[in-house]
Amino acid sequence: MKKGFLDLDKILDNRIRLSILSILMIEDMVPFKEIKESLGLTDGNLASHIKALEKAEYIKVYKSFIGKKPNTEFKITKIGKKAFTEHLKKLEHLISQHKK
Amino acid sequence: MTDYLQDLATIRGIMEKRTKFISLSGLSGILAGIYALVGAFLAYRVIYYSENTVYEAYINGIWSVEITKLLVIAFSVLTLASVTGLFLSMKKAKRLGQEFWNPSAIRMVTSFLVPLVTGGIFVAILILRGHAGWVPPALLLFYGIALHAAGNYTFSDVKTLGLLQIALGLIAAVYPGYGLVLWAVGFGGLHIIYGAVMYFKYER
């Protein structure tokens, strides 16, 4: 079976975006740099996935300054939490169906 | 299908890496503090009520009974506190329905043990080389560093406790005469306060 059909959430049917949400499910207000390093991504790559998640209102972006350095942090929204939990349920369901 | 399995494995990996060890028991902190205070009291009696002057004998290279007694007290307090901590934390893990040896517990214990064992060996060297005066600050410092490191994987209060122990260790280094008092404050007082805070904050 190939990935990408069925009624899976298109936004979360991507391992990087799913990983970002997994981090935000556990911790609030995680800085850009921390996510980038823990997932081994480039600035541009993470930024594009963040944009997609923000557009879907799954995460909220908080921009501030530490001294003169810009500091961007992320927080998961209620919609994001719901989407994540549902996506997990679907994955588990798919896998259990497949095993039968 | 393997893609989905891998998705789940990735999530699991990330979550385990970021999950904190929450089975640490507050009550065991209080008990460890009490053991330490009893130990400090016994040590005080050994030092100040003994017939020979322990310290003088020691710096002259004579291994007196008192030194052995002090080491036995220190070792008993350490063993008793560790066993209590382990036992009560395992019980708490069971009550919370958590696995005790989860990945975050293992990370917490390793980051705790590396500085602590280093400190233990260093202190043993200090004693053998006749620098017993440096033992109280050294133990407080290494213990504080160990706690601060372990605090990354459990309640952040442990980090604060570590910083306070480090501060006491530095004070003990400046005022060597207050070593035992600062030990009682650090290992006794701070543990009891910390344990009480943890108990009321997270366990009630």
Side-chain angles (χ1 to χ4, degrees):
Chain A
M1 206 193 298
K2 272 196 93 183
K3 212 173 160 170
F5 61 108
L6 288 164
D7 62 338
L8 277 176
D9 187 329
K10 285 266 169 359
I11 294 158
L12 291 184
D13 199 12
N14 169 296
R15 195 159 304 145
I16 295 173
R17 291 197 284 270
L18 199 57
S19 302
I20 297 171
L21 275 202
S22 311
I23 293 176
L24 296 175
M25 280 297 280
I26 293 177
E27 257 173 86
D28 262 353
M29 301 303 271
V30 185
F32 188 91
K33 205 178 149 214
E34 202 183 315
I35 299 183
K36 191 184 97 182
E37 281 166 8
S38 98
L39 299 179
L41 301 172
T42 61
D43 277 353
N45 200 349
L46 177 55
S48 74
H49 288 299
I50 287 290
K51 212 170 261 169
L53 286 171
E54 195 191 3
K55 209 178 149 202
E57 294 184 0
Y58 285 1
I59 61 170
K60 243 189 126 176
V61 181
Y62 293 84
K63 286 188 177 161
S64 61
F65 281 88
I66 296 178
K68 278 184 180 168
K69 265 186 159 175
N71 180 47
T72 311
E73 291 170 311
F74 308 101
K75 202 176 157 174
I76 194 166
T77 61
K78 262 191 191 149
I79 306 173
K81 274 186 187 166
K82 208 177 147 213
F84 181 84
T85 324
E86 244 152 53
H87 187 76
L88 270 194
K89 262 189 213 151
K90 276 182 198 160
L91 286 186
E92 278 165 3
H93 181 71
L94 273 174
I95 288 164
S96 67
Q97 286 284 309
H98 186 73
K99 274 183 187 159
K100 269 177 199 167
Chain B
M1 188 49 59
T2 48
D3 274 351
Y4 296 132
L5 280 171
Q6 240 164 44
D7 275 0
L8 283 180
T10 310
I11 296 172
R12 199 192 152 111
I14 289 172
M15 291 200 153
E16 273 179 352
K17 210 154 74 187
R18 295 197 159 253
T19 307
K20 308 231 162 183
F21 181 74
I22 54 160
S23 306
L24 208 61
S25 151
L27 191 61
S28 68
I30 300 179
L31 287 172
I34 293 171
Y35 301 152
L37 284 182
V38 172
F41 174 71
L42 292 176
Y44 177 82
R45 286 194 26 166
V46 169
I47 294 173
Y48 293 95
Y49 292 94
S50 70
E51 285 173 17
N52 16 356
T53 25
V54 181
Y55 193 64
E56 250 166 54
Y58 169 74
I59 48 175
N60 290 321
I62 303 160
W63 193 272
S64 58
V65 193
E66 280 79 10
I67 301 276
T68 316
K69 274 190 195 164
L70 289 179
L71 288 179
V72 169
I73 292 170
F75 193 73
S76 315
V77 168
L78 183 69
T79 314
L80 218 59
S82 312
V83 171
T84 312
L86 207 61
F87 176 74
L88 286 178
S89 298
M90 279 177 156
K91 235 176 100 178
K92 190 180 164 193
K94 214 172 178 186
R95 203 184 62 221
L96 294 174
Q98 277 217 334
E99 220 183 309
F100 182 72
W101 283 117
N102 58 19
S104 42
I106 293 167
R107 262 190 295 273
M108 181 191 78
V109 170
T110 17
S111 48
F112 180 67
L113 282 183
V114 172
L116 196 71
V117 171
T118 312
I121 297 170
F122 182 63
V123 160
I125 296 170
L126 284 178
I127 293 172
L128 290 175
R129 302 212 55 180
H131 302 294
W134 288 102
V135 169
L139 270 188
L140 281 167
L141 284 173
F142 279 101
Y143 181 60
I145 295 167
L147 283 176
H148 190 259
N152 285 322
Y153 305 104
T154 181
F155 302 106
S156 58
D157 309 59
V158 173
K159 271 186 126 160
T160 316
L161 179 65
L163 287 178
L164 290 172
Q165 303 282 12
I166 292 174
L168 281 180
L170 292 175
I171 296 171
V174 179
Y175 303 104
Y178 293 97
L180 191 60
V181 178
L182 291 167
W183 250 21
V185 172
F187 292 115
L190 284 183
H191 272 152
I192 293 175
I193 295 169
Y194 155 82
V197 168
M198 296 290 283
Y199 185 76
F200 286 111
K201 207 162 152 188
Y202 302 109
E203 287 175 42
R204 278 209 318 169

